[in-house]
């Protein structure tokens, strides 16, 4: 029984990894100003709820690696600007924010918190670490993007939090519970449905 659950978790994580790669490489993300709104947090949150924090952290790391490739190649223009200034810090920021978002969403799911809380934690951590990285390591660029020092707080509140974070939050809050209910009705046993 334990081996069967492990295999199911491994296969489920592999399928979600393919979804993460497909979403990021094929669909990409929606561009709003210098930032991208990603759909890729959805399968990461699904992994967090279905398979726990380690699977979600792995999915987040895969997402972070694909973002690193986009940044290095210049497909992510805002990320490329940061990469050209501090390459190692930019790549670490990409990896840490997405991996932490998955892991922490998984911790909330593991504690039997609501699906909505897990769906909210991922974009909060992902965007929060990004903002912290901008403020600490890329202050001059942040000031440039905000069109002046006096507009930095407004830029963070209205551009990053107001557009990026809210769009990702709403997307996750709408899609994750619906997808979980569909999966529960199609794939899982009664015990597994009750755990969702």
């Amino acid at each position: 029984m334990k081996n069967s659950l492990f295999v199911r978790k491994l296969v489920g994580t592999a399928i979600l990894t393919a979804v993460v790669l497909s979403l990021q490489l094929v669909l990409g993300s929606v561009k709003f100003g210098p930032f991208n709104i990603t759909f890729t947090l959805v399968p990461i949150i699904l992994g967090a709820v279905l398979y726990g924090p380690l699977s979600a952290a792995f999915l987040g790391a895969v997402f972070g690696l694909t973002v690193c490739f986009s940044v290095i190649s210049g497909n992510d223009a805002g990320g490329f600007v940061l990469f050209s200034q501090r390459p190692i810090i930019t790549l670490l920021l990409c990896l840490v924010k997405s991996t932490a978002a998955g892991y922490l969403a998984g911790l909330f799911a593991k504690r039997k918190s609501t699906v909505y809380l897990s769906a909210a934690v991922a974009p909060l951590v992902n965007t929060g670490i990004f903002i912290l990285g901008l403020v600490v390591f890329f202050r001059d660029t942040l000031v440039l993007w905000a069109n002046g020092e006096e507009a930095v707080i407004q830029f963070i509140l209205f551009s990053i939090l107001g557009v990026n974070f809210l769009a990702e939050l709403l997307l996750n809050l709408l899609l994750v519970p619906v997808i979980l209910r569909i999966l529960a009705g199609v794939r899982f046993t009664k015990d597994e449905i009750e755990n969702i």
Side-chain angles (χ1 to χ4, degrees):
M1 180 72 166
K2 202 170 194 177
N3 284 341
S4 172
L5 289 174
F6 175 75
V7 169
R8 180 181 267 174
K9 185 177 182 177
L10 193 62
V11 169
T13 301
I15 290 168
L16 288 173
T17 300
V19 173
V20 166
L21 289 169
S22 298
L23 281 173
Q24 194 60 28
L25 297 174
V26 176
L27 179 62
S29 46
V30 178
K31 187 98 171 129
F32 278 91
F35 306 107
N36 297 321
I37 295 172
T38 184
F39 295 88
T40 311
L41 289 176
V42 172
I44 294 169
I45 298 163
L46 291 172
V49 173
L50 295 171
Y51 306 118
L54 293 180
S55 289
F58 174 78
L59 294 167
V62 169
F63 169 45
L65 285 171
T66 61
V67 172
C68 287
F69 289 120
S70 285
V71 164
I72 292 169
S73 69
N75 287 337
D76 182 333
F80 186 73
V81 168
L82 302 179
F83 178 74
S84 65
Q85 296 170 9
R86 294 183 171 195
I88 301 297
I89 290 175
T90 302
L91 298 179
L92 284 174
L93 186 59
C94 292
L95 288 170
V96 168
K97 71 185 184 70
S98 57
T99 304
Y103 184 75
L104 290 172
L107 284 181
F108 279 92
K110 188 176 181 178
R111 294 175 182 242
K112 301 298 178 203
S113 298
T114 68
V115 170
Y116 294 103
L117 187 56
S118 293
V121 165
L124 179 66
V125 171
N126 191 52
T127 305
I129 291 174
F130 178 69
I131 290 170
L132 182 63
L134 282 178
V135 169
V136 172
F137 299 110
F138 300 100
R139 180 76 180 175
D140 293 339
T141 304
L142 183 59
V143 169
L144 181 67
W145 284 345
N147 292 320
E149 182 75 42
E150 61 283 344
V152 166
I153 300 229
Q154 287 176 329
F155 180 74
I156 289 172
L157 289 175
F158 296 111
S159 292
I160 301 173
L161 290 174
V163 174
N164 183 279
F165 170 72
L166 286 179
E168 289 178 2
L169 176 67
L170 289 173
L171 183 74
N172 295 329
L173 290 175
L174 292 173
L175 290 181
V176 170
V178 170
I179 293 170
L180 284 171
R181 284 293 172 198
I182 292 168
L183 290 174
V186 173
R187 282 284 295 179
F188 297 107
T189 66
K190 184 180 178 189
D191 291 336
E192 291 169 322
I193 291 171
E194 291 171 0
N195 288 330
I196 290 179

